[in-house]
């Protein structure tokens, strides 16, 4: 297998890891004012993702770095053409991170309330815009013969892009509700489980509509298998949550997101960024790739450090695997999020 294909697969794996892991902590953040009835329950929800949210963002940093090094032409066109959405995502992630770090620094209710709003907004913005961005990558964007993006921000806000945004938004909301149901105990656990079923039905409707479009537009036999299995995993997860099996429910949304993202990359290959102006101008794994020497060095580095990162993150999830409830949250003790 050529190294360009290897790195296309590795970047797809990194995005799968990012959306499956950061997806549920986006969901928890968005559901903060919906599921929590008081400050202790809000602190409880924040504590469910406290030990892992920043580790989940490592997948995004690694995906961006790998794209920059392995496919510099893809990185340049993507970040210049999608400059405003990516800037909004970056600002939202910064505000969200500040909220996790500063919310517990002062006891005033107003202080908590403002940082809670920051968590909610900082979760909604990337959850929606990532879907818009990926839908446009699969749909194709105007790229000229010099590999430059010739559209505007309004080019990205087309019906397919907006549908993609709704897909990631509702999938992450469902994923987050499943995670809260899995990680908590008491009344909030049951509220989260019931909400995950309702959100899951909406997510299934918009996801199926988008995946059918993607399959017709640019799909192949491989992507069809991924999309069908992903849809079945979501339906299975909703059914498991309905009968009270939160662990299987969370696994269902996890597998659904993983297969859907993988299917989009399978449908995209060998393009990395199709041109809607002329297919001959599309960026591919060949014309967007770095030199063979660069890819060879990157492969050795990835082979050494990727297992270490996976071991460390797996250990973190194992250590913080137990359920928590409001009884673990002191009345006035500030929560710790990292």
């Amino acid at each position: 297998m050529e190294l360009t294909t290897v790195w296309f697969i590795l970047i797809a794996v990194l995005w799968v890891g990012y959306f499956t892991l950061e997806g549920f902590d986006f969901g928890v953040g968005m559901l903060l004012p919906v599921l929590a009835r008081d400050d202790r329950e809000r602190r409880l929800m924040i504590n469910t993702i406290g030990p892992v949210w920043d580790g989940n963002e490592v997948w995004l940093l690694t995906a961006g770095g790998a794209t920059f090094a392995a496919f510099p032409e893809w990185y340049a066109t993507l970040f210049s053409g999608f400059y405003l959405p990516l800037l909004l995502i970056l600002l939202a992630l910064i505000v969200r991170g500040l909220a996790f770090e500063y919310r517990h620094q002062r006891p005033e209710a107003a202080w908590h309330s403002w940082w809670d709003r920051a968590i909610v907004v900082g979760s909604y913005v990337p959850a929606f815009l990532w879907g818009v961005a990926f839908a446009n990558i699969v749909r194709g964007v105007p790229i000229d013969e010099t590999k430059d993006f010739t559209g505007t921000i309004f080019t990205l806000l087309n019906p397919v892009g907006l549908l993609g945004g709704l897909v990631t938004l509702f999938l992450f909301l469902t994923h987050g509700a499943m995670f809260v149901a899995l990680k908590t105990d008491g009344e909030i656990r049951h509220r989260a489980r019931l909400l995950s079923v309702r959100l899951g039905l909406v997510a299934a409707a918009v996801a199926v509509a988008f995946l059918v479009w993607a399959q017709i537009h640019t799909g192949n036999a491989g992507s069809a298998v991924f999309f069908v299995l992903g849809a079945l995993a979501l339906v299975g997860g909703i059914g498991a949550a309905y009968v009270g099996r939160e662990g299987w429910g969370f696994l269902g949304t996890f597998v659904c997101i993983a297969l859907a993202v993988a299917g989009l990359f399978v449908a995209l290959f060998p393009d990395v960024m199709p041109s809607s102006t002329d297919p001959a101008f599309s960026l591919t794994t060949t014309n967007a790739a770095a030199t063979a020497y660069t890819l060879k060095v990157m492969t050795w580095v990835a082979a050494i450090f990727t297992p270490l990162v996976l071991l460390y993150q797996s250990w973190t999830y194992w250590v913080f695997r137990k359920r928590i409830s409001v009884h673990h949250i002191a009345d006035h003790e500030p929560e710790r999020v990292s």
Side-chain angles (χ1 to χ4, degrees):
M1 184 181 295
E2 295 181 359
L3 285 181
T4 52
T5 304
V6 169
W7 274 96
F8 180 83
I9 295 172
L10 287 175
I11 288 172
V13 170
L14 291 170
W15 281 107
V16 167
Y18 177 65
F19 283 129
T20 52
L21 296 177
E22 184 100 298
F24 70 74
D25 68 55
F26 282 151
V28 173
M30 289 187 284
L31 292 173
L32 203 58
V34 179
L35 282 175
R37 299 285 171 80
D38 54 34
D39 188 62
R40 285 182 78 185
E41 288 193 345
R42 284 190 286 275
R43 291 160 57 193
L44 172 66
M45 289 180 65
I46 292 172
N47 273 276
T48 62
I49 57 174
V52 297
W53 71 269
D54 48 357
N56 293 341
E57 293 187 349
V58 170
W59 291 81
L60 172 62
L61 297 174
T62 310
T67 305
F68 171 75
F71 299 102
E73 292 286 357
W74 183 12
Y75 183 91
T77 304
L78 178 66
F79 277 74
S80 60
F82 291 39
Y83 176 78
L84 186 55
L86 294 177
L87 177 63
L88 291 175
I89 289 172
L90 177 62
L91 292 176
L93 293 178
I94 292 173
V95 169
R96 183 169 172 269
L98 288 173
F100 285 139
E101 297 295 339
Y102 283 92
R103 186 186 188 278
H104 64 283
Q105 298 295 334
R106 293 174 59 175
E108 294 89 347
W111 177 268
H112 290 179
S113 180
W114 278 108
W115 286 121
D116 287 344
R117 293 188 184 99
I119 293 172
V120 174
V121 174
S123 301
Y124 266 102
V125 170
F128 179 73
L129 289 181
W130 279 129
V132 174
F134 268 78
N136 275 286
I137 291 175
V138 175
R139 175 179 176 268
V141 291
I143 299 173
D144 63 15
E145 67 276 13
T146 61
K147 300 183 178 61
D148 289 329
F149 177 82
T150 57
T152 67
I153 180 63
F154 299 106
T155 307
L156 306 178
L157 300 178
N158 54 75
V160 172
L162 296 176
L163 177 61
L166 291 178
V167 171
T168 50
L169 186 70
F170 281 103
L171 278 178
F172 292 167
L173 281 167
T174 307
H175 203 31
M178 293 281 190
F179 185 73
V180 174
L182 177 65
K183 287 291 295 179
T184 62
D185 209 349
E187 290 185 16
I188 193 171
R189 169 187 176 185
H190 301 292
R191 289 200 299 271
R193 182 170 59 79
L194 292 175
L195 183 62
S196 71
V197 174
R198 295 168 184 165
L199 288 170
L201 294 175
V202 180
V206 293
V208 168
F210 176 76
L211 294 179
V212 167
W213 169 86
Q215 181 61 28
I216 294 173
H217 178 70
T218 188
N220 50 49
S223 62
V225 172
F226 278 94
F227 292 158
V228 170
L229 291 178
L232 292 175
L234 179 58
V235 172
I238 295 170
Y242 183 75
V243 298
R245 303 296 296 270
E246 291 100 343
W248 287 104
F250 179 73
L251 181 64
T253 53
F254 187 98
V255 173
C256 166
I257 294 171
L259 291 175
V261 176
L264 291 179
F265 274 89
V266 170
L268 201 59
F269 185 82
D271 290 340
V272 294
M273 206 160 178
S275 171
S276 59
T277 306
D278 187 332
F281 302 155
S282 296
L283 297 177
T284 69
T285 54
T286 302
N287 67 19
T291 64
Y293 178 76
T294 300
L295 294 177
K296 187 176 180 180
V297 172
M298 288 177 61
T299 304
W300 279 107
V301 172
I304 295 171
F305 289 102
T306 301
L308 296 177
V309 173
L310 291 176
L311 283 173
Y312 168 76
Q313 197 155 35
S314 300
W315 175 79
T316 303
Y317 276 92
W318 175 255
V319 169
F320 295 100
R321 67 188 182 281
K322 293 183 179 179
R323 290 182 185 271
I324 56 176
S325 71
V326 289
H327 302 297
H328 297 100
I329 307 297
D331 288 340
H332 303 292
E333 183 180 348
E335 69 271 21
R336 293 185 178 277
V337 297
S338 63

